[in-house]
């Protein structure tokens, strides 16, 4: 039974930073793909080898990373803008379907992720 729990959300002014964390519980294996979404819109994804993918709107400002020992997914968010305000959720693709070669699947598509956290709210004021 896989469980995800996010933390780190909050309220900041534009230009500020927040760091989100997502703890993965109940899954003993280390190789899986994960992503951050906001309102089901893909923000950043990372595959089992640590290769990231970013939405155009956050490139250069957000950094996704994963600690495979502690089973924690991170999202460092810098230079935040009011339009970044949303509920941020982490999700897991246990089979790493999106990383399978030759299929051309979008790692930012929510339909490939079977387990989701409840989310953490991020609010950026101007």
């Amino acid at each position: 039974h896989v469980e995800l729990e996010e933390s780190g959300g909050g309220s900041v002014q534009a230009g500020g930073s927040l760091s989100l964390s997502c703890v993965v519980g109940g899954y003993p294996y280390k190789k899986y793909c994960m992503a951050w979404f906001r309102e089901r819109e893909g923000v950043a994804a990372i595959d089992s080898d640590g290769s990231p993918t970013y939405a155009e709107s956050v490139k250069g400002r957000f950094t996704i990373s994963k600690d495979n020992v502690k089973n924690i997914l991170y999202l460092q968010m810098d230079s935040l803008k009011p339009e970044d305000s949303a509920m941020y959720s982490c999700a897991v693709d246990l089979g790493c379907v999106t990383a399978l070669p030759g299929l051309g699947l979008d790692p930012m598509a929510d339909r490939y992720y079977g387990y989701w956290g409840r989310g953490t709210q991020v609010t950026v004021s101007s």
Side-chain angles (χ1 to χ4, degrees), residues 3-116:
E3 294 183 345
L4 307 176
E5 183 172 1
E6 304 94 336
S7 62
S11 297
V12 295
Q13 289 190 327
S17 298
L18 282 173
S19 182
L20 305 184
S21 298
C22 171
V23 178
V24 182
Y27 189 66
Y29 305 105
K30 304 301 182 182
K31 289 286 190 178
Y32 46 81
C33 296
M34 295 195 70
W36 286 99
F37 292 83
R38 57 190 184 195
E39 317 294 344
R40 290 283 178 161
E41 171 196 0
V43 173
I46 188 166
D47 68 15
S48 57
D49 293 326
S51 295
T53 303
Y54 296 98
E56 285 296 325
S57 60
V58 306
K59 276 184 180 178
R61 300 188 300 119
F62 290 11
T63 304
I64 188 171
S65 61
K66 181 157 63 82
D67 186 324
N68 288 328
V69 176
K70 297 180 179 179
N71 277 6
I72 301 177
L73 177 73
Y74 300 100
L75 184 68
Q76 177 64 39
M77 305 186 296
D78 298 317
S79 302
L80 282 162
K81 304 175 181 179
E83 52 263 43
D84 293 319
S85 298
M87 180 71 77
Y88 283 71
S89 301
C90 61
V92 172
D93 165 18
L94 294 180
C96 271
V97 172
T98 56
L100 294 175
L103 297 182
L105 300 179
D106 181 5
M108 308 281 263
D110 61 355
R111 60 183 175 273
Y112 299 118
Y113 294 84
Y115 296 91
W116 294 75

